[in-house]
């Protein structure tokens, strides 16, 4: 972050660890920007961490980097420029590798207003920049959705935010030239852990669909592709990949039906 070409920013580190592992790291060097270490070991979950962080932030623009993503040096100035140029309340981008190729999701190819048509391909949590006033109107993240939440709904908190923003008639804008980096998720031969995690993510999507009153035809649309994948990989004798697709299907159905398994 200290290599950003835009210098007027602060960093809030929301620490949910039960031990002191970050104390020495954060206090062991002089930072070139303000750093606030906010310890919340009894308040777990990504959405809860984001809410705890933005409420103590002082800036007019808020963003939520993951703990395992990294930002190009131009991202802050570019995001501010897009917000200014478009007059948007929220600007989003995409996940990319170091060459700029999209990873870990499908994203739109051109700049566009976020709408019900494209919201599933225009928002990832850690490449989203909000005007603080708009985020206050939205009310922050739903703490019952997202990785680490106490619920089975382990993903799609970003789309929940987009949907609430659209209901408030806020201006939300996606620009694919705005991107940040993350390790690429490779699922060519997923193991049991990856498959189980993906089912939790799929439940999150199903739950958000139902929360915002998307009907059964929308659910059928979102399970059609993984159903096809399940059959294709089964016939190719790629059993792990077929099982992965099957878990996506089951997870989305479980989320839409609001089924709460014993463990997320």
């Amino acid at each position: 972050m200290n290599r950003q070409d835009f210098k007027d920013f602060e960093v809030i580190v929301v620490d949910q660890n039960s031990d002191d592992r970050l104390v020495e790291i954060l206090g062991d060097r002089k930072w070139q920007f303000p750093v606030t270490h906010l310890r919340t070991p009894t308040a777990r979950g990504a959405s809860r961490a984001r809410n705890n962080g933005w409420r103590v932030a002082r800036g007019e623009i808020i963003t939520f980097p993951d703990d395992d993503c990294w930002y190009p040096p131009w991202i802050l100035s570019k995001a501010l420029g897009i917000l200014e140029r478009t007059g948007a309340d929220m600007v989003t981008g995409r996940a990319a590798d170091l060459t700029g190729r999209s990873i870990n999701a499908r994203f739109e190819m051109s700049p566009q207003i976020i709408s019900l048509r494209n919201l599933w391909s225009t928002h990832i949590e850690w490449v989203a920049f909000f005007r603080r006033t708009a985020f206050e109107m939205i009310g922050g993240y739903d703490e019952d959705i997202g990785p680490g939440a106490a619920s089975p709904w382990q993903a799609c908190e970003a789309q929940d935010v987009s949907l609430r923003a659209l209901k408030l008639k806020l201006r939300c804008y996606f620009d694919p030239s705005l991107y940040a980096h993350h390790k690429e998720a490779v699922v060519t031969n997923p193991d049991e852990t990856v498959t189980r995690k993906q089912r939790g993510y799929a439940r999150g999507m199903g739950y958000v669909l139902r929360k915002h009153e998307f009907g059964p035809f929308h659910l059928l649309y979102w399970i059609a592709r993984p159903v096809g994948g399940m059959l294709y990989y089964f016939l190719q004798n790629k059993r792990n990949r077929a099982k992965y697709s099957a878990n996506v299907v089951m997870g989305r159905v479980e989320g839409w039906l609001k089924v709460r398994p014993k463990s997320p």
Side-chain angles (χ1 to χ4, degrees), residues 54-75:
W54 77 263
R55 287 176 178 135
V56 302
R58 294 168 293 178
E60 296 178 5
I61 307 298
I62 299 170
T63 189
F64 300 95
D66 266 6
D67 58 2
D68 56 352
C69 76
W70 61 102
Y71 281 174
W74 44 260
I75 194 168

Side-chain angles (χ1 to χ4, degrees), residues 15-147:
D15 180 2
Q16 297 180 337
N17 294 298
S18 57
D19 56 30
D20 295 336
R21 71 185 71 182
L22 294 186
V23 173
E24 184 175 345
I25 296 172
L26 293 173
D28 195 37
R29 57 180 293 186
K30 291 188 180 297
W31 300 93
Q32 298 176 17
F33 45 83
V35 175
T36 299
H37 183 192
L38 184 61
R39 301 194 65 192
T40 61
T42 60
R44 300 295 179 91
S47 291
R48 185 169 290 173
R50 297 183 190 112
N51 284 344
N52 285 332
W54 77 263
R55 287 176 178 135
V56 302
R58 294 168 293 178
E60 296 178 5
I61 307 298
I62 299 170
T63 189
F64 300 95
D66 266 6
D67 58 2
D68 56 352
C69 76
W70 61 102
Y71 281 174
W74 44 260
I75 194 168
L76 298 183
S77 56
K78 189 175 189 66
L80 291 172
I82 297 171
L83 281 165
E84 182 66 25
R85 174 172 53 82
T86 61
D89 299 295
M90 175 180 87
V91 166
T92 64
R94 59 191 177 92
D97 64 13
L98 293 178
T99 71
R101 176 181 63 91
S102 292
I103 60 171
N104 297 354
R106 294 182 180 86
F107 296 98
E108 298 295 327
M109 302 290 289
S110 61
Q112 54 198 272
I113 297 292
I114 296 175
S115 66
L116 292 178
R117 178 191 62 81
N118 62 16
L119 69 93
W120 298 99
S121 53
T122 54
H123 192 166
I124 192 165
E125 292 82 3
W126 44 276
V127 196
F129 296 81
F130 302 87
R131 296 188 190 275
R132 184 188 184 93
T133 51
F135 205 66
E136 288 173 346
M137 290 175 63
I138 294 168
Y141 283 93
D142 183 337
E143 295 179 4
D144 204 33
I145 308 173

